[in-house]
């Protein structure tokens, strides 16, 4: 038979384990307390008996048997916890508060040497009930043939220990009941809390990414789990939305070039069949359009790869070397457009990253700056260490710039501003740079350029900020 779910929860099982350990520990402590108390009581009683025996033997030694007998009579009349019995050489009782020797001696002890033993003393209480109380005593042969017995009733101590043991067992039973009740209560609360999380998990499995785990704001581990699950769902929902948006954007953005390609191919086919144009030229135009589409697809795939798995195969590299290579690569392109291109590069800028992706990101920034800067303008590439210790690539141009209200939007996929519609491109350049920055634990920052002067400006400054390499 399957147990109820509340009894199968980990908190309830831990409660049972704790109770089992507690019972074992309490049992050991109870046994120790009982035997230690019994040993202490018996030792104290033995010491009392030894003291009383010493006093009586001193009376016998100094004053004789008659004085000892007199002392026993006085002590018996006075009462107390002690048990006395004095027998003559013939074994008959002389005096005492016992009617018989409590135990038989197997061998007669030596004179002056006592023999100890514990025994059960049968008596009746004030109400006539028979009692069998535990006692301890010593029998001592005296000079002259007499025998003296001195003992003490320790039944009261034994009864106290019995009551103590009973109380401890009762307390243990109460703790077990309270522990079981607490375990059930905690297990019930955990079951309710986990039920909310399980509902969210089942809903997400069914495809509902809007579900979120309840957070009670208590700061416990269940809240931490719920917050972590909600954060994960937020990122998953954003990722799925990004994928849907990317698919819709690709379909929308590629519709025009695909339609244009088909139209050109159709016109080229008709003209070629009519002998109006050379089919090779028409195929060349179609190939150019196909190359543009493939480049767009490859860029989208690269962005998706970075967002899904981060920068692959990161290695320690000098950011200054990459900046110098890119400056050397793009300087001729700037000269062809009559743009003043300059580079300011610090050395020893160590970072952890994937060089091909960083090179592509930096190439996009420089290519955009040269593309949108008019002839006679200027573009500057910098690689430096910021005061925070971060490594920064920055490209500053004197082009038309990007309005401040559009700077967050321009880094999204397939977003192109009105002033860039006449330039070739797909609107994925800054999106790729942003993906590269985030995959490397960095960020992309867009700021105002050098400002407007003459026919130039206000320009744009784009900074790719990366964390420095960890020192080994």
């Amino acid at each position: 038979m399957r147990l109820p779910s509340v009894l199968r929860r980990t908190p309830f099982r831990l409660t049972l384990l704790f109770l089992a350990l507690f019972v074992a520990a309490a049992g050991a402590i109870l046994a120790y307390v009982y035997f230690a108390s019994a040993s202490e009581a018996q030792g104290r009683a033995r010491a009392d008996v030894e003291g009383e025996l010493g006093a009586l033997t001193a009376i016998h030694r100094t004053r004789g048997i008659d004085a000892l007998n007199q002392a026993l009579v006085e002590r018996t009349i006075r009462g107390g916890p002690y048990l006395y019995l004095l027998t003559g050489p013939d074994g008959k009782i002389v005096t005492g508060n016992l009617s018989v020797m409590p135990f038989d001696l197997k061998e007669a002890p030596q004179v002056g040497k006592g023999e100890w033993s514990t025994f059960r003393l049968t008596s009746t209480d004030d109400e006539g009930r028979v009692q069998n109380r535990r006692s301890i005593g010593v029998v001592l042969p005296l000079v002259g043939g007499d025998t003296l017995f001195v003992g003490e009733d320790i039944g009261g101590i034994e009864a106290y220990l019995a009551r103590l043991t009973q109380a401890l067992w009762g307390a243990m039973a109460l703790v077990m009941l309270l522990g079981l009740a607490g375990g059930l209560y905690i297990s019930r609360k955990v079951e309710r809390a986990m039920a909310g999380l399980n509902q969210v998990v089942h809903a997400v499995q069914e495809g509902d990414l809007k579900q979120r785990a309840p957070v009670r704001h208590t700061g416990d581990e269940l809240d931490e789990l719920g917050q972590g699950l909600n954060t994960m769902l937020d990122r998953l929902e954003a990722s799925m939305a990004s994928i849907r948006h990317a698919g819709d954007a690709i379909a929308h953005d590629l519709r025009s070039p695909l339609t244009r390609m088909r139209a050109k191919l159709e016109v080229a086919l008709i003209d070629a069949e009519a002998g109006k144009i050379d089919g090779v030229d028409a195929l060349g135009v179609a190939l150019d359009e196909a190359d543009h589409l493939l480049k767009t697809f490859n860029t989208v795939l690269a962005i998706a790869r970075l967002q899904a798995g981060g920068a692959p195969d990161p290695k320690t590299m000098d950011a200054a070397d990459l900046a110098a290579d890119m400056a050397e690569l793009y300087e001729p392109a700037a000269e062809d457009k009559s743009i003043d291109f300059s580079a300011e590069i610090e050395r020893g800028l160590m970072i952890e990253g994937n060089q091909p992706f960083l090179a592509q990101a930096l190439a996009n920034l420089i290519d955009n700056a040269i593309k949108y800067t008019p002839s006679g303008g200027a573009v500057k590439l910098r690689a430096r260490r910021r005061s925070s210790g971060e490594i920064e690539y920055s490209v500053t141009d004197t082009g038309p710039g990007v309005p401040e209200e559009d700077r967050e939007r321009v880094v999204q996929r397939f977003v192109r501003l009105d002033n860039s519609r006449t330039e070739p491109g797909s609107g994925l350049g800054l999106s790729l740079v942003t993906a590269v920055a985030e995959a490397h634990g960095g960020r992309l920052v867009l700021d105002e350029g050098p400002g407007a002067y003459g026919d130039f400006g206000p320009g744009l400054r784009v900074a790719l900020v990366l964390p420095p390499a960890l020192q080994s």
Side-chain angles (χ1 to χ4, degrees):
M1 181 181 296
R2 189 175 179 84
L3 293 174
S5 61
V6 68
L7 301 181
R8 290 183 279 110
R9 297 297 178 186
T10 299
F12 185 75
R13 295 180 179 179
L14 292 177
T15 301
L16 292 181
L17 177 60
F18 171 76
L19 286 176
L21 294 176
F22 172 79
V23 169
I29 294 174
L30 178 61
Y32 171 78
V33 169
Y34 179 82
F35 287 109
S37 299
S39 177
E40 174 67 20
Q42 186 169 338
R44 186 169 61 251
R46 182 167 181 149
D48 293 342
V49 170
E50 286 179 345
E52 184 70 5
L53 180 64
L56 293 174
T57 54
I59 294 174
H60 178 266
R61 185 174 56 253
T62 58
R63 297 163 52 190
I65 189 65
D66 292 336
L68 174 60
N69 185 30
Q70 180 65 31
L72 290 176
V73 171
E74 294 175 355
R75 282 170 163 77
T76 301
I77 295 173
R78 185 170 64 239
Y82 295 108
L83 305 173
Y84 305 104
L85 185 62
L86 177 64
T87 61
D90 56 0
K92 294 182 178 180
I93 297 176
V94 177
T95 187
N97 53 9
L98 295 178
S99 59
V100 66
M101 184 65 70
F103 54 90
D104 295 330
L105 299 177
K106 296 180 180 180
E107 295 181 2
Q110 298 178 4
V111 175
K113 183 177 180 181
E115 183 171 335
W116 288 86
S117 180
T118 58
F119 57 94
R120 290 286 176 177
L121 178 64
T122 302
S123 62
T124 57
D125 59 12
D126 297 337
E127 298 179 358
R129 292 177 299 187
V130 178
Q131 294 182 325
N132 190 14
R133 301 167 64 86
R134 191 164 179 261
S135 304
I136 186 173
V138 58
V139 60
L140 178 67
L142 302 175
V143 176
D146 298 302
T147 302
L148 174 64
F149 171 82
V150 179
E152 184 176 353
D153 180 4
I154 58 175
I157 298 175
E158 190 176 46
Y160 166 75
L161 292 176
R163 291 194 300 271
L164 176 63
T165 303
Q166 186 177 5
L168 290 176
W169 279 115
M172 186 183 301
L174 179 61
V175 169
M176 290 180 63
L177 291 176
L178 292 177
L180 287 174
L184 289 172
Y185 174 74
I186 295 174
S187 184
R188 178 74 66 180
K189 289 196 65 175
V190 172
E191 183 181 26
R192 290 174 180 172
M194 294 303 297
L197 297 178
N198 288 331
Q199 289 176 0
V200 173
V201 172
H202 292 324
V204 172
Q205 289 176 345
E206 296 297 327
D208 184 5
L209 297 181
K210 296 294 184 181
Q211 292 290 330
R212 292 296 181 269
V215 179
R216 299 169 299 167
H217 303 289
T218 58
D220 59 6
E221 61 276 4
L222 290 178
D223 263 10
E224 293 178 358
L225 178 61
Q227 291 171 353
L229 181 61
N230 290 341
T231 301
M232 180 185 69
L233 290 175
D234 289 340
R235 296 190 62 179
L236 179 61
E237 185 180 13
S239 178
M240 296 298 294
S242 176
I243 292 174
R244 288 193 296 268
H245 173 71
D248 295 342
I250 290 174
H252 179 271
D253 202 71
L254 295 183
R255 182 182 302 169
S256 296
L258 283 173
T259 302
R260 187 169 56 250
M261 178 188 294
R262 186 184 185 285
K264 288 184 177 181
L265 288 174
E266 188 176 3
V267 171
L269 177 62
I270 295 173
D271 290 343
E273 289 177 348
K276 297 180 180 180
I277 63 170
D278 186 357
V280 175
D281 295 335
L283 289 176
V285 173
L287 286 174
D288 289 340
E289 292 291 334
D291 289 340
H292 175 71
L293 290 175
L294 288 174
K295 183 178 179 181
T296 301
F297 271 118
N298 290 333
T299 303
V300 171
L301 290 176
I303 294 174
R305 180 185 178 189
L306 287 169
Q307 291 178 338
D313 301 325
K315 296 180 181 179
T316 302
M317 53 178 287
D318 192 344
D321 294 338
L322 178 60
D325 292 340
M326 301 307 295
E328 183 179 356
L329 178 64
Y330 277 92
E331 188 173 1
E335 291 179 355
D336 291 343
K337 198 176 176 181
S338 300
I339 292 176
D340 181 16
F341 184 88
S342 60
E344 182 180 326
I345 302 172
E346 295 182 14
R347 307 305 302 181
L349 306 177
M350 305 308 295
I351 59 174
E352 290 276 350
N354 179 276
Q355 184 169 358
F357 276 112
L358 289 173
Q360 181 63 53
L362 196 54
N364 285 2
L365 296 181
I366 300 174
D367 185 70
N368 281 347
I370 294 176
K371 182 190 300 183
Y372 295 111
T373 300
S375 299
V379 174
K380 184 171 186 178
L381 168 65
R382 295 185 66 189
R384 68 185 184 95
R385 185 183 304 275
R386 296 165 65 110
S387 58
S388 62
E390 297 172 303
I391 307 302
E392 177 189 275
Y393 291 116
S394 66
V395 178
T396 306
D397 62 61
T398 58
V402 176
E404 185 174 357
E405 61 272 13
D406 292 329
R407 288 174 189 168
E408 291 186 4
R409 190 170 62 90
V410 78
V411 298
Q412 299 174 4
R413 296 181 185 179
F414 302 107
V415 172
R416 304 190 69 193
L417 302 182
D418 293 337
N419 59 4
S420 63
R421 293 291 181 182
T422 58
E423 298 291 341
S426 59
L428 290 172
L430 289 181
S431 298
L432 177 61
V433 178
T434 301
V436 171
E438 293 176 351
H440 287 80
R443 62 190 185 278
L444 186 67
V445 181
L446 276 67
D447 291 321
E448 192 77 14
Y453 65 101
D455 296 332
F456 299 99
L460 182 67
R461 180 181 182 274
V462 184
L464 174 59
V465 184
L466 303 171
L470 298 177
Q471 299 293 331
S472 58

